[in-house]
Amino acid sequence: MSYVNRPTGEVINEPVAVAPVVDYHDRVRWGPIISGLLVAIATQLILSAIIAALGAGSIEASGRPRTITPNVAGNVGIWSTIALLISLFTGGWVTTRACGPMNRNTALLNGAILWATTLAVSSWLLASGVTGAFGVAASNAGEVINQLQQQGGVNVPQTTPTAQQAREIAANLRSGLWWFVFGSLLGLIAAMIGASVGARSPRTQANYT
């Protein structure tokens, strides 16, 4: 800062000290994380309902529903994973936008905690048998598949699986678990990217001495 000393016409310069605004003492902000969690779950519910409705509509409009059901189920699974990534990205963005200014490391930390919280809450809801949009869609899909597997309205008898069937079940389980791990890691990346995009850099303030 500078000003003119009017009696003598001398220009006096004062040093300016720029100090960054201090970041939060507690780097984990649970209020914004809960807000991001709710937004992520709501977004996933809406997107999953849309995807499930489109998949059911394609089976209904098809002339060979039993033939295309496996393909539709695979496409629904892929798009559901994409919906999960979109919802976690949105939740991470909301989390950091709900906070004050923070540096990138703090934003990434809160995004990772949002991902872990979402995963824990989703696992608890599934383990508790909580229905809702996901539960209704899953139960309806199961009923449709069971009806498609019936022949003349008679249920296919349940038999002890053979060795080949046991291998196929184990292979499907292995693929499902690896897909869960891969999708979860992608979800972590999506949440952290959303948090990084939504973060606001700490402001600086000038102190005159």
Side-chain angles (χ1 to χ4, degrees):
M1 180 178 180
S2 63
Y3 62 90
V4 178
N5 190 345
R6 294 186 181 275
T8 62
E10 180 183 1
V11 177
I12 300 176
N13 295 320
E14 291 186 352
V16 179
V18 178
V21 175
V22 179
D23 201 358
Y24 293 115
H25 295 291
D26 51 337
R27 301 179 64 187
V28 178
R29 308 296 295 175
W30 282 108
I33 287 175
I34 293 175
S35 300
L37 170 66
L38 296 176
V39 170
I41 292 178
T43 303
Q44 188 178 10
L45 282 171
I46 294 174
L47 293 178
S48 297
I50 294 174
I51 293 170
L54 293 176
S58 62
I59 295 177
E60 179 186 8
S62 175
R64 46 188 183 88
R66 285 193 289 184
T67 304
I68 70 170
T69 297
N71 294 331
V72 172
N75 293 333
V76 168
I78 294 174
W79 281 105
S80 296
T81 302
I82 296 175
L84 174 64
L85 300 182
I86 294 174
S87 63
L88 285 173
F89 177 88
T90 305
W93 185 86
V94 170
T95 295
T96 51
R97 293 304 293 181
C99 292
M102 61 176 58
N103 56 42
R104 173 169 291 186
N105 291 334
T106 303
L108 293 176
L109 175 63
N110 283 268
I113 295 176
L114 166 70
W115 165 82
T117 306
T118 305
L119 185 62
V121 171
S122 301
S123 300
W124 176 77
L125 291 175
L126 291 175
S128 301
V130 177
T131 56
F134 285 130
V136 171
S139 60
N140 290 338
E143 292 178 1
V144 171
I145 293 175
N146 289 333
Q147 291 177 3
L148 291 175
Q149 290 177 347
Q150 292 176 0
Q151 299 177 354
V154 179
N155 294 331
V156 178
Q158 300 277 340
T159 59
T160 303
T162 62
Q164 181 62 29
Q165 291 175 338
R167 294 189 186 94
E168 293 177 356
I169 294 173
N172 293 333
L173 178 61
R174 174 180 54 82
S175 299
L177 291 175
W178 279 116
W179 183 255
F180 170 77
V181 172
F182 181 68
S184 298
L185 293 178
L186 288 180
L188 172 61
I189 295 174
M192 295 178 70
I193 292 177
S196 178
V197 171
R200 290 173 290 177
S201 300
R203 300 182 300 272
T204 57
Q205 60 183 6
N207 296 327
Y208 298 99
T209 58

